[in-house]
Amino acid sequence: MTYVMSDIHGNAIRFNSIMEQIDLRPKDTLYVLGDVIDRYPDGIRILRLLMSLPNVHMLLGNHEYMMLNALDVLDRNNPEYPHILRLWYRNGGDVTHEYIKHIRKSVRKEIFDYLHSLPLNIDVEVNGKSYILVHGGIRDFEESKPLEQYKLQDFIYERTDY
């Protein structure tokens, strides 16, 4: 069986309820279309569980993207850094940041490496039908334009409201 979920946002109660309902088995595949973290406190725990499951495939969501920008990619001396951090916090990142500050650096690196490795889209076939899975759509989509020609920001719903 093939399952798809998105926008877990650290809500362990809802996530666990869904996982109980689908009863994911080794022969099943679960696609998670991003936004595992933020808003509720269990995002990193859920993310680490998903990372450990061989039959789970994940896409990068805009909340993971915001976290990477705030904690991993940007130089803290960059004048834009406070705005990037504030943007992430305004969108629920404060709870994720509070949790991630207290985990070992090696675990943090493992999480960041995993997130950097995530694709922006996945092609799947279910019951003979082809699908392209993305997190939030593709900005300015043109049917004739190959997916490889789109940029990261075309796939990620990028929040800019500092």
Side-chain angles (χ1 to χ4, degrees):
M1 189 68 82
T2 301
Y3 300 97
V4 178
M5 74 168 73
S6 184
D7 295 84
I8 299 163
H9 286 296
N11 190 328
I13 292 170
R14 288 187 183 151
F15 173 75
N16 292 333
S17 173
I18 291 168
M19 292 302 282
E20 276 182 37
Q21 291 174 55
I22 66 174
D23 190 25
L24 191 68
R25 299 178 187 280
K27 63 179 173 31
D28 297 332
T29 303
L30 171 61
Y31 294 97
V32 179
L33 306 185
D35 285 4
V36 172
I37 61 168
D38 297 346
R39 297 189 183 149
Y40 288 88
D42 294 311
I44 297 297
R45 284 186 206 98
I46 295 168
L47 179 61
R48 291 192 67 211
L49 170 66
L50 295 172
M51 288 168 60
S52 73
L53 298 173
N55 55 342
V56 171
H57 304 280
M58 188 172 154
L59 298 177
L60 186 71
N62 59 302
H63 283 260
E64 289 85 17
Y65 179 73
M66 282 188 285
M67 180 178 80
L68 289 174
N69 275 337
L71 300 182
D72 185 44
V73 175
L74 288 180
D75 174 3
R76 293 178 198 278
N77 295 321
N78 181 324
E80 287 296 306
Y81 179 76
H83 303 296
I84 300 290
L85 188 64
R86 189 174 331 122
L87 173 66
W88 183 41
Y89 274 31
R90 285 185 53 198
N91 286 282
D94 53 331
V95 69
T96 302
H97 194 198
E98 189 56 38
Y99 183 88
I100 209 162
K101 283 193 275 187
H102 300 289
I103 61 176
R104 290 188 323 270
K105 286 183 182 180
S106 61
V107 174
R108 228 177 297 154
K109 181 182 178 340
E110 184 181 304
I111 291 167
F112 290 157
D113 288 348
Y114 175 77
L115 293 177
H116 281 295
S117 76
L118 293 179
L120 301 175
N121 63 289
I122 299 175
D123 296 328
V124 299
E125 188 173 308
V126 179
N127 297 330
K129 271 192 105 158
S130 295
Y131 299 91
I132 300 172
L133 304 179
V134 297
H135 172 67
I138 302 173
R139 184 180 9 201
D140 300 325
F141 178 73
E142 297 173 30
E143 201 168 326
S144 61
K145 184 176 179 179
L147 291 177
E148 299 78 35
Q149 291 182 7
Y150 289 94
K151 298 178 195 152
L152 172 67
Q153 289 77 13
D154 294 326
F155 283 94
I156 298 290
Y157 172 71
E158 190 173 22
R159 296 182 183 270
T160 56
D161 51 339
Y162 299 133

